[in-house]
Amino acid sequence: MSGKPVLHYANTRGRMESVRWLLAAAGVEFEEKFLEKKEDLQKLKSDGSLLFQQVPMVEIDGMKMVQTRAILNYIAGKYNLYGKDLKERALIDMYVEGLADLYELIMMNVVQPADKKEEHLANALDKAANRYFPVFEKVLKDHGHDFLVGNKLSRADVHLLETILVVEEFKPDALAKFPLLQSFKARMSNMPNIKKFLQPGSPKKPPLQEKEIPNLLAIFS
Amino acid sequence: MAAKPVLYYFNGRGKMESIRWLLAAAGVEVFRTGQVPMVEIDGMKLVQTRAILNYIAGKYNLYGKDLKERALIDMYVGGTDDLMGFLLSFPFLSAEDKVKQCAFVVEKATSRYFPAYEKVLKDHGQDFLVGNRLSWADIHLLEAILMLEEKKSDALSGFPLLQAFKKRISSIPTIKKFLAPGSKRKPISDDKYVETVRRVLRMYYDVKPH
C-alpha cells in the first residue's frame, strides 16, 4: 500500500472535485480508481466498502470514508486548513456551506431540460453576483486580510477559488464588480500547490459534457 | 446580548429541528423568533444549518475526542441527514405524492440506512455509535428514527439493536425532557406551517417528490 489516499469515483468532477482540490491545496498526492461501468460500483458495494452504498469514497488513514462533507472535514482538520479554534471553524463552515449551495446550483445546469437551461443559468449567475460574491467581497474588505478566516489559508479559501473558477466557466467576467475577489483569485492561483493543480495533466477534471451523461447514469442508476 | 442561544426560524421543524435536538440534548435552553435557520450564540450570528450544528456539537463535547472519531460522527450524521432530507419537502407535496414519497423514504431507511447503523452497533457492541460515549451521531440517529416511525410505526422491526438504542437514548435525561410535551420539539408540519413558509419565502408552491 502506497500510503496515499485513494479516491473512488467516476472520472468526472461530480461530488469528488472539492476533495481533489483540497488534497491538492494541502500538497497531498493521491491515487484515483475510476468507476467505468456499473459492475465497478457493484463490486465496491458487495465488498462492504461503502457504508451507505454510495460514492464518493476515499481510502485514507486506514478508513474507508464516505459522505463528501465528512471526507472534506477530515482532510481539512488533518492538514490544518480548518481554523485554529471552534469559532474560526464556525466561520469557515458558514462560508463553505454557502459556497456549496452556489456550486451545486451551477453544476445542476448541465442536467436541466433544454428549454429550462437558459433560465436556470441566469438564476444561478444572478445568485452568484448578488447574493454570494458580495458576501465574500465584504468579508475581505472588512478585515483587509489575504485569506477569508484567521489571516491564514483555510479550506474556505480553496472552496471559494474553486467556485469562482466554475462560475467563470459560464461567465468569464463574473468578477467584474469585485476587485478584492479578483486579487484573491490571482493570489490563490499563484500559490505553488494550487498553481500546480491548475496546470494541464493535474487531477483536476474538466467540466461535464452532455455526451458523458448516459455513461454516468449507467454506472449510478 | 442574550446569554441563551436565540433561534431564528419558522415555528416548525424544517432545517432547524436538528439544531433544537442537539441543543436540547446538550441541556442548553433557547429563545426563538422568526426567519431562516439563524442562531445567535456566543456573540456570533451563525447561519447555515451544518455550521450551526458543527459548532454546538464541538462546544458541548458531542463531536468525539479526535479527528478520527469526528470523521465517524460526520459520516453517520451525513447518512441520517440524507435520510431526513428526503422528508424536508414532504409537507409541501400533494396528497398523492406524499404516499409515494413515504414509501420511498421507508424503503431507503430499511434497506440502506438502518442496516448500516445496526451493523455499527453490532460490530462494536457498545451503547453509542462512536467512542463508547454520547455524541451528536446518536442524537441525530434518534431524531431520524422517530421521524421515520411517524411515517411507519414499525420501521425498526428487524433492527433489534436500533430498538434498544432508541430506548436507551430516549431515556437520557435531557433527551427525555425534550421528548416530553411542552418542550421546544416541533410537531409534524401542518397546513398552517406550509402556508407560512410559502408566504414568507414565496416558494415551494410546486414541489415534486424525490
Side-chain angles (χ1 to χ4, degrees):
Chain A
M1 192 176 70
S2 66
K4 294 182 192 173
V6 182
L7 278 52
H8 295 260
Y9 200 64
N11 188 2
T12 190
R13 286 183 179 175
R15 293 192 183 282
M16 191 61 102
E17 193 70 352
S18 316
V19 176
R20 298 181 184 110
W21 265 93
L22 197 55
L23 284 169
V28 178
E29 285 192 26
F30 55 91
E31 290 173 16
E32 300 201 69
K33 291 212 168 106
F34 296 121
L35 306 179
E36 267 146 15
K37 43 195 196 314
K38 205 182 174 81
E39 290 72 31
D40 297 334
L41 181 58
Q42 200 43 55
K43 182 163 194 304
L44 282 177
K45 288 182 187 181
S46 45
D47 282 349
S49 297
L50 306 178
L51 181 62
F52 301 119
Q53 314 306 317
Q54 294 166 320
V55 287
M57 190 267 276
V58 175
E59 293 179 75
I60 185 167
D61 295 339
M63 298 182 286
K64 288 190 164 129
M65 288 200 70
V66 296
Q67 290 287 329
T68 314
R69 270 196 191 92
I71 295 164
L72 291 167
N73 287 0
Y74 182 75
I75 295 166
K78 178 173 175 173
Y79 295 103
N80 295 310
L81 293 168
Y82 215 165
K84 71 179 197 306
D85 57 29
L86 270 192
K87 285 201 171 187
E88 284 195 354
R89 242 176 67 195
L91 282 176
I92 290 168
D93 281 338
M94 275 202 287
Y95 299 156
V96 158
E97 290 293 317
L99 287 166
D101 287 345
L102 175 58
Y103 188 93
E104 179 135 352
L105 189 57
I106 302 267
M107 294 308 257
M108 293 294 270
N109 188 255
V110 72
V111 300
Q112 298 301 310
D115 61 338
K116 290 257 156 50
K117 259 198 174 66
E118 205 179 312
E119 188 193 331
H120 179 271
L121 181 62
N123 172 55
L125 292 176
D126 178 70
K127 288 217 161 65
N130 295 312
R131 178 184 289 189
Y132 292 96
F133 287 167
V135 166
F136 295 104
E137 182 80 4
K138 183 177 192 300
V139 168
L140 292 173
K141 182 166 190 217
D142 286 352
H143 59 44
H145 296 153
D146 282 358
F147 304 104
L148 287 171
V149 179
N151 208 6
K152 179 184 138 142
L153 179 71
S154 78
R155 64 180 288 199
D157 304 299
V158 179
H159 291 310
L160 176 55
L161 176 63
E162 182 186 0
T163 308
I164 285 171
L165 294 181
V166 158
V167 172
E168 284 184 334
E169 280 170 0
F170 289 93
K171 189 175 193 290
D173 67 343
L175 289 191
K177 295 187 178 148
F178 304 105
L180 295 179
L181 287 179
Q182 289 175 38
S183 42
F184 171 86
K185 175 192 160 190
R187 228 167 26 241
M188 287 290 294
S189 303
N190 258 317
M191 297 182 76
N193 291 332
I194 293 176
K195 191 170 183 174
K196 187 173 163 196
F197 187 66
L198 291 173
Q199 263 147 27
S202 85
K204 185 173 183 284
K205 303 289 172 270
L208 180 66
Q209 311 281 337
E210 271 197 57
K211 63 177 194 248
E212 300 173 68
I213 296 176
N215 192 43
L216 290 172
L217 284 176
I219 299 170
F220 287 111
S221 62
Chain B
M1 182 182 78
K4 297 181 187 178
V6 183
L7 271 57
Y8 293 81
Y9 201 61
F10 300 97
N11 190 9
R13 284 185 177 173
K15 289 186 170 179
M16 189 62 102
E17 192 67 355
S18 294
I19 295 166
R20 293 190 188 96
W21 268 89
L22 196 54
L23 285 169
V28 178
E29 291 201 38
V30 300
F31 290 121
R32 60 141 198 91
T33 20
Q35 264 244 341
V36 218
M38 203 259 266
V39 177
E40 273 182 349
I41 185 168
D42 296 341
M44 297 180 292
K45 284 187 158 77
L46 285 186
V47 294
Q48 293 293 345
T49 313
R50 256 327 168 79
I52 297 164
L53 288 166
N54 286 359
Y55 182 77
I56 296 167
K59 178 174 174 163
Y60 294 102
N61 295 310
L62 292 165
Y63 216 164
K65 70 179 198 305
D66 57 27
L67 270 192
K68 283 206 167 182
E69 283 195 354
R70 240 177 65 197
L72 286 175
I73 291 167
D74 280 338
M75 283 199 281
Y76 301 154
V77 163
T80 37
D81 202 39
D82 286 347
L83 181 57
M84 287 195 279
F86 296 133
L87 287 172
L88 259 182
S89 63
F90 194 83
F92 301 93
L93 300 175
S94 68
E96 190 193 321
D97 283 344
K98 272 181 176 157
V99 174
K100 284 190 208 156
Q101 189 70 353
C102 196
F104 173 83
V105 177
V106 168
E107 203 270 332
K108 279 277 178 297
T110 53
S111 67
R112 174 180 288 187
Y113 294 99
F114 289 169
Y117 298 106
E118 183 82 3
K119 184 178 192 298
V120 168
L121 292 172
K122 182 166 188 217
D123 286 352
H124 60 43
Q126 292 165 4
D127 282 357
F128 304 102
L129 286 171
V130 179
N132 207 9
R133 91 182 211 179
L134 181 70
S135 77
W136 174 23
D138 302 301
I139 298 159
H140 215 245
L141 176 55
L142 177 62
E143 183 187 355
I145 286 170
L146 294 181
M147 244 192 173
L148 258 296
E149 284 184 334
E150 281 167 358
K151 298 288 175 253
K152 188 170 192 288
S153 56
D154 65 343
L156 284 191
S157 78
F159 302 105
L161 295 179
L162 286 179
Q163 290 172 35
F165 172 88
K166 174 193 157 188
K167 277 211 181 78
R168 224 166 29 241
I169 307 299
S170 300
S171 51
I172 292 172
T174 46
I175 296 179
K176 190 170 181 177
K177 188 174 163 194
F178 188 65
L179 291 173
S183 83
K184 293 281 194 303
R185 185 176 182 223
K186 295 293 164 249
I188 302 183
S189 303
D190 58 12
D191 291 337
K192 180 163 177 244
Y193 170 81
V194 168
E195 193 203 299
T196 306
V197 173
R198 279 178 171 158
R199 186 168 29 90
V200 173
L201 296 184
R202 281 174 286 186
M203 49 196 294
Y204 302 132
Y205 289 104
D206 187 27
V207 179
K208 295 281 175 281
H210 191 275

